[in-house]
Amino acid sequence: VQLQASGGGLVQPGGSLRLACVASGRTFGNYAAGWARQVPGKEREFVAVTNRGGGSTYYAESVKGRFTISRDNAKNMVYLQMDSLKPEDTAVYYCATDQVLHKIVVVTPQYWGQGTLVTVSS
């Protein structure tokens, strides 16, 4: 599976961004999908994941209530809507897929996309 993320940028605290990730190469609906993020010098951390059908979602405590993950299997897309952004959300965000949802939660998925930088600053 090849993944291509987009949508990062500079946003003020309290603002919103929507990240998108398009998948190709395999049947996307056969895979769980999610997002992780990484700050330079720190380990990559889990952000959000959704199951194959999109009916179940799970979030890191730090983003719960502010971020929403969704997917459109017909378009091979997974999204991350980020609201009420904080400076501590600044990171490179990566999309990921794996046939096993838990692998995304523990940040060891089979497939990673390239990162997209999100900067939250006034």
Side-chain angles (χ1 to χ4, degrees), residues 22-85:
V22 60
S24 62
R26 297 286 178 92
T27 303
F28 184 56
N30 290 340
Y31 292 80
W35 295 87
R37 65 188 182 186
Q38 188 169 23
V39 175
K42 294 189 176 182
E43 293 186 353
R44 195 168 296 186
E45 65 173 8
F46 165 74
V47 173
V49 66
T50 180
N51 68 342
R52 300 177 185 188
S56 294
T57 58
Y58 181 66
Y59 298 92
E61 285 296 324
S62 59
V63 307
K64 196 174 294 183
R66 300 187 297 120
F67 290 11
T68 303
I69 188 172
S70 62
R71 67 189 296 165
D72 184 339
N73 286 342
K75 296 181 179 179
N76 291 343
M77 298 289 297
V78 60
Y79 305 98
L80 186 68
Q81 177 66 40
M82 304 186 295
D83 299 318
S84 302
L85 282 161

Side-chain angles (χ1 to χ4, degrees), residues 88-101:
E88 51 264 43
D89 294 317
T90 295
V92 177
Y93 284 72
Y94 298 87
C95 56
T97 65
D98 197 293
Q99 290 186 312
V100 179
L101 184 147

